[in-house]
Amino acid sequence: MKKGKFLKGIVTGIALITLLAGCGGSDNASNTDSGNSGDSDVRTVKVAYDQASKPISWLDDNGNPTGYDVEVLKLVDELLPEYEFEYVGTTSDDLLIGVQQGKYHVGVKNAFWTEERAKNFIYPEEFLGLSSIGLVLKKENEHIKSLSDFASNGMTLAPIAANNAQYTVIDEYNQKNPDNPVQLDAGDQFTVDVVQWVNEGCVDGGVIIEGPFKKQVIAEDGPYHKLVENVVYNEFDVIKTWPLFNLNEEEFAAAYDEAIKQLKEEKKLNELSEEFYGRDLFEVLESVDR
């Protein structure tokens, strides 16, 4: 009897060990596949976007990310089966800090190229989109259509911080046109209230991106909509915009480059430009000298 009970205990113990081993094996498999959507060959990458920057990127009425930059990356994702994009809405500042620190793998925020950013992020070979840039002027000066016109008339420009991409645009113009430069002063802060400065006569004009001008002046709920008859926006260029990759994401950036090349060849970006900006900014790019 004792021998039978002893053997029975051994069998029970072996069964218990087998059961525990099986549970442990299941946990390990789950941990291995974590973050890969059940497919070890697919890498999930976090894509940060500025969620309050319409028409570039924002949350739609259903709480889904959209906008030109976001929709381009959705098309890129479709062409990269080895990656799965996870979109994270955030602020512009958190996006920059988060991508640099590795919290996000890539970020989109209508980002221009600057020398300072090039030290902290990977700029891929292929740009993402284009942004209209222009002069804010009083209505009486709407005949000023270019930086050359602005400079030759001796007009004063609102200060721009030296680390602002808009400063780089004006500085590049001045380097190419040393005989007719724009008066360029570096401001102490990243941005100044350009529309207000122009309207109050502090300066003759200021550099601004089309999107913010529409949001501030054209939109009926804009803070300066009351000035819609007093100031104008005169486009003088379109600037290339880029996704910003974490410095350790060379392989991911290279994959993006291959995908975006295909999308440009298929004119998919032209279609999205029409959809979100109301016109094909790529056609404007072909007409300016940059």
Side-chain angles (χ1 to χ4, degrees):
M1 292 291 295
K2 290 182 179 179
K3 184 176 180 182
K5 288 182 179 180
F6 177 71
L7 291 174
K8 183 177 181 181
I10 292 176
V11 172
T12 302
I14 292 173
L16 179 61
I17 291 172
T18 302
L19 177 63
L20 290 174
C23 293
S26 175
D27 287 344
N28 288 338
S30 175
N31 290 336
T32 300
D33 291 339
S34 178
N36 287 329
S37 303
D39 187 343
S40 60
D41 294 330
V42 178
R43 181 189 177 205
T44 299
V45 290
K46 291 187 176 181
V47 180
Y49 66 94
D50 185 341
Q51 62 184 3
S53 189
K54 191 173 183 177
I56 300 149
S57 55
W58 79 96
L59 285 173
D60 65 17
D61 294 338
N62 297 317
N64 298 316
T66 190
Y68 176 86
D69 282 9
V70 172
E71 296 302 328
V72 171
L73 286 188
K74 287 180 182 179
L75 294 180
V76 170
D77 187 17
E78 292 178 6
L79 295 176
L80 300 179
E82 67 272 31
Y83 292 96
E84 180 178 342
F85 288 20
E86 177 185 330
Y87 297 92
V88 183
T90 186
T91 63
S92 177
D93 288 342
D94 178 68
L95 183 152
L96 293 172
I97 295 171
V99 173
Q100 187 173 351
Q101 294 180 347
K103 178 181 177 181
Y104 313 118
H105 301 96
V106 64
V108 288
K109 59 177 299 294
N110 200 48
F112 297 171
W113 185 94
T114 69
E115 186 174 351
E116 181 178 354
R117 283 181 184 168
K119 298 175 183 176
N120 299 315
F121 305 97
I122 292 177
Y123 277 85
E125 294 181 4
E126 297 291 326
F127 66 94
L128 179 72
L130 296 162
S131 185
S132 170
I133 186 170
L135 290 166
V136 178
L137 304 160
K138 282 190 174 182
K139 184 74 172 179
E140 62 199 57
N141 292 321
E142 64 178 341
H143 61 283
I144 303 296
K145 302 296 185 181
S146 66
L147 292 180
S148 177
D149 292 343
F150 191 87
S152 61
N153 280 273
M155 291 182 154
T156 56
L157 188 72
I160 310 171
N163 62 343
N164 188 321
Q166 297 171 29
Y167 184 97
T168 301
V169 172
I170 305 302
D171 186 51
E172 287 180 354
Y173 165 83
N174 284 347
Q175 291 179 31
K176 293 179 180 178
N177 300 274
D179 296 330
N180 188 34
V182 172
Q183 300 175 33
L184 179 60
D185 295 320
D188 295 330
Q189 50 188 330
F190 190 77
T191 58
V192 298
D193 199 336
V194 173
V195 176
Q196 186 176 20
W197 278 47
V198 172
N199 182 64
E200 293 181 352
C202 300
V203 291
D204 295 316
V207 178
I208 196 170
I209 304 304
E210 184 180 34
F213 180 82
K214 286 184 174 180
K215 188 174 182 179
Q216 293 177 31
V217 181
I218 304 300
E220 292 185 359
D221 60 349
Y224 295 125
H225 183 64
K226 61 184 178 182
L227 303 177
V228 69
E229 300 297 331
N230 301 346
V231 297
V232 298
Y233 170 85
N234 282 352
E235 178 182 83
F236 64 80
D237 206 347
V238 287
I239 309 301
K240 294 176 181 178
T241 64
W242 310 80
L244 302 174
F245 287 83
N246 176 271
L247 288 176
N248 295 318
E249 295 296 335
E250 294 93 345
E251 185 175 342
F252 182 23
Y256 156 88
D257 274 330
E258 290 305 310
I260 208 76
K261 285 177 184 176
Q262 179 177 335
L263 294 173
K264 287 179 179 177
E265 291 173 358
E266 297 173 352
K267 301 295 183 180
K268 296 294 187 181
L269 304 194
N270 304 68
E271 294 173 7
L272 288 176
S273 180
E274 290 274 9
E275 177 180 349
F276 288 97
Y277 296 113
R279 59 197 176 112
D280 186 353
L281 291 175
F282 289 84
E283 291 183 353
V284 182
L285 179 64
E286 295 174 358
S287 68
V288 295
D289 181 21
R290 275 186 62 77

